[in-house]
Amino acid sequence: MNPRSRHLSPEPNQDCLIRPYLGRRRRFGNSEQPGQSKFNGFSLRNYPLHLDQIEELALDPFLMARIMTDTLAEIYWRAHVDASDMEFVLAPPSSNDAAQSNIIKSPILGDHVMWILDFDCCKHMTLDERGVKIAAAAFYINDPFFPRPGRDSVMEQRLWNEFKNRFIEASQTILDLESPQAHLPALWVKLVEQKSSVRKKPTQLFNEQN
């Protein structure tokens, strides 16, 4: 079966599950075959939509980043879990999606929202420095849904700044500014950025373990 027929066949591609990766771009072919992706094996049920594809589809990565960071702040400071191995996927909006500001519009994909899946690896997070260190480590265990600090392109730097600034803002709406936990969001950002500087190396895309 040729690749086109395989991907259009009812199984395993009857349904489509798109995972938005704001922290990864695709790597393309060598100089003999420029522009040809080396990534050939995929399923529509587990389809990674990389940052360069998000740009090509004229989707708004900054809106996606704000939705992700608002979700992360809620999960940390209200649910008290570390978000380890949590996943984001794109899905059609339901009739109950009242927050129109969170609907991502696209003439190609249609209107859609983000869902979060897979909490089986999440662990309780204490609201102290030890818990924040665990959460910062989990940030890099996850697939690259979130923007990454320390990237070279201006666009990715802007995307990370949008993410971290929104994270601080969203966290402050949840935590009491006079509480002993008020410094934890800024500490989380600091730890994530520090880990990035230690880990920094040439961008690895499909075989990246970020």
Side-chain angles (χ1 to χ4, degrees):
M1 181 182 294
N2 63 52
R4 177 180 173 84
S5 298
R6 182 174 68 250
H7 297 317
L8 294 178
S9 64
E11 294 293 341
N13 296 315
Q14 185 174 4
D15 305 304
C16 182
L17 191 66
I18 299 177
R19 300 148 60 90
Y21 284 171
L22 300 186
R24 178 184 292 174
R25 292 181 181 272
R26 292 174 298 175
R27 175 175 298 227
F28 291 99
N30 56 31
S31 58
E32 289 77 18
Q33 294 178 308
Q36 179 179 350
S37 173
K38 292 183 177 180
F39 185 64
N40 296 316
F42 73 92
S43 166
L44 290 178
R45 287 186 178 175
N46 192 24
Y47 186 81
L49 190 69
H50 297 81
L51 183 57
D52 58 293
Q53 295 169 295
I54 290 170
E55 292 174 314
E56 289 171 4
L57 293 172
L59 299 174
D60 186 351
F62 293 92
L63 174 56
M64 291 184 179
R66 291 192 293 272
I67 295 170
M68 288 182 181
T69 195
D70 287 352
T71 302
L72 200 60
E74 291 283 337
I75 286 173
Y76 285 163
W77 315 127
R78 290 198 201 275
H80 303 173
V81 295
D82 63 3
S84 180
D85 208 32
M86 185 182 71
E87 299 185 359
F88 289 84
V89 298
L90 303 183
S94 71
S95 57
N96 296 324
D97 283 314
Q100 294 294 316
S101 61
N102 286 339
I103 294 180
I104 304 165
K105 296 185 176 296
S106 167
I108 298 174
L109 298 181
D111 289 358
H112 54 277
V113 294
M114 275 192 202
W115 290 0
I116 47 177
L117 308 174
D118 289 352
F119 294 95
D120 51 310
C121 292
C122 291
K123 298 179 179 62
H124 175 72
M125 172 183 139
T126 55
L127 293 190
D128 54 22
E129 293 188 5
R130 179 178 178 276
V132 169
K133 288 178 181 178
I134 293 172
F139 178 88
Y140 286 105
I141 293 173
N142 285 13
D143 283 357
F145 297 103
F146 307 117
R148 296 292 200 244
R151 293 293 166 85
D152 293 330
S153 80
V154 173
M155 184 273 181
E156 287 173 280
Q157 292 169 11
R158 288 179 54 227
L159 192 59
W160 169 251
N161 287 334
E162 176 83 10
F163 182 87
K164 75 173 183 180
N165 292 336
R166 180 67 172 229
F167 178 76
I168 296 295
E169 178 184 333
S171 298
Q172 288 174 344
T173 66
I174 299 171
L175 295 173
D176 185 345
L177 295 180
E178 302 299 324
S179 73
Q181 292 81 32
H183 71 292
L184 295 180
L187 175 62
W188 180 88
V189 169
K190 179 181 177 181
L191 291 172
V192 168
E193 292 182 333
Q194 285 178 343
K195 287 179 181 293
S196 172
S197 65
V198 171
R199 297 163 59 92
K200 191 170 183 180
K201 53 188 176 180
T203 303
Q204 298 175 0
L205 299 166
F206 287 105
N207 59 352
E208 182 183 47
Q209 295 302 309
N210 285 6

